[in-house]
Amino acid sequence: MTLRKRLIALSMAAACAATAFAGAAFTDQSSIKVDSKVIDTLTEKNVIKGFEDGSFQPDKLVTRAQMAKMMFVLRTGSDDASYYAKDMTDTFADTAGTWSNGYVKYCQAYGIVSGKSSAVFAPNASVTQKDFDLLTGVVYAFSTALGFALAMV
């Protein structure tokens, strides 16, 4: 598992309340090197769901679209971004009509993400160090506002 994915997962888990949820099993559960409590919490909060085939794919890099979805869920407590998908103007041509459209629109409106240019978001590109730095700042602010202490990684 890449350090970046591990840091993202651990940072997001710190923003979630601890739960006693008993593990969502992914088909590749044995490949996940993050503490199962982290994955369980993120799964219970609908921050992560895994892939359609039931896998988690821990060695795969997080995409910008996936990051937008995770931030949306952390901030709103919901994974339904349909309101934003249909009622906000499309800024990025490459997210219009995609599953990530509402998440990206929301995150852009709140300054969580920005495009690669004024018309390109690059939803399938991997999260960069700049993206990660912004994500970490947002998670820190979110967790501080809710009274969670971030674990040092």
Side-chain angles (χ1 to χ4, degrees), residues 97-139:
T98 67
W99 70 267
S100 64
N101 188 277
Y103 303 118
V104 172
K105 286 179 181 180
Y106 173 89
C107 289
Q108 183 193 25
Y110 285 93
I112 299 168
V113 299
S114 58
K116 296 289 187 178
S117 71
S118 62
V120 175
F121 179 70
N124 297 320
S126 297
V127 173
T128 65
Q129 185 65 47
K130 178 182 172 186
D131 297 329
F132 178 75
D133 292 344
L134 180 59
L135 168 72
T136 304
V138 170
V139 168

Side-chain angles (χ1 to χ4, degrees), residues 25-29 32 49-58:
F26 292 102
T27 57
D28 53 357
Q29 190 79 28
I32 301 172
K49 291 185 178 181
F51 292 87
E52 289 180 8
D53 66 357
S55 68
F56 181 72
Q57 300 180 11

Side-chain angles (χ1 to χ4, degrees), residues 51-72:
F51 292 87
E52 289 180 8
D53 66 357
S55 68
F56 181 72
Q57 300 180 11
D59 295 323
K60 189 173 181 179
L61 293 175
V62 174
T63 67
R64 292 170 49 83
Q66 292 166 332
M67 180 186 74
K69 188 255 182 183
M70 289 185 271
M71 292 310 303
F72 176 87

Side-chain angles (χ1 to χ4, degrees), residues 1-11 33-34 58-62 127 129 132 135-136 152-153:
M1 175 183 293
T2 66
L3 178 59
R4 183 179 296 151
K5 185 152 185 170
R6 185 174 295 144
L7 289 173
I8 289 171
L10 291 173
S11 296
K33 304 301 181 213
V34 176
D59 295 323
K60 189 173 181 179
L61 293 175
V62 174
V127 173
Q129 185 65 47
F132 178 75
L135 168 72
T136 304
M152 297 306 290
V153 180

